[in-house]
Amino acid sequence: AAPPGDGVLPSGKQGSPRQLHAVSTTPPHARKQLTNVPGGVRSPAAVSRDGAWAAAVAQADIPATLVFVNLAQASARAADREAF
């Protein structure tokens, strides 16, 4: 499961493809990029009921591609210097 205090959302800097990020729910709201999909991912993303996996659809139309991230290895708090 994702570490307590983290959320997962698709986001990106203006002009760059949207990617999945782990985001700390406590200030300074550090972010850790979880995917690097050419063209980015669509919003919204989904998280499994047990919190162990996140899934998103790749932005490319053909072929349709699902992207999965194992959240057990994704902590935004470990990336506190990557906050933006």
Side-chain angles (χ1 to χ4, degrees):
D6 284 355
V8 176
L9 75 142
S11 67
K13 294 180 181 178
Q14 188 172 2
S16 64
R18 180 180 300 135
Q19 302 293 337
L20 286 182
H21 289 81
V23 181
S24 173
T25 58
T26 58
H29 307 292
R31 295 177 184 223
K32 178 181 180 184
Q33 186 171 325
L34 303 176
T35 60
N36 188 17
V37 178
V41 297
R42 295 181 185 175
S43 188
V47 176
S48 63
R49 288 183 188 188
D50 64 2
W53 293 90
V57 177
Q59 189 65 33
D61 291 328
I62 298 174
T65 304
L66 285 176
V67 178
F68 292 93
V69 176
N70 181 343
L71 296 177
Q73 301 171 9
S75 173
R77 282 172 280 141
D80 60 358
R81 289 185 172 80
E82 297 177 28
F84 49 108

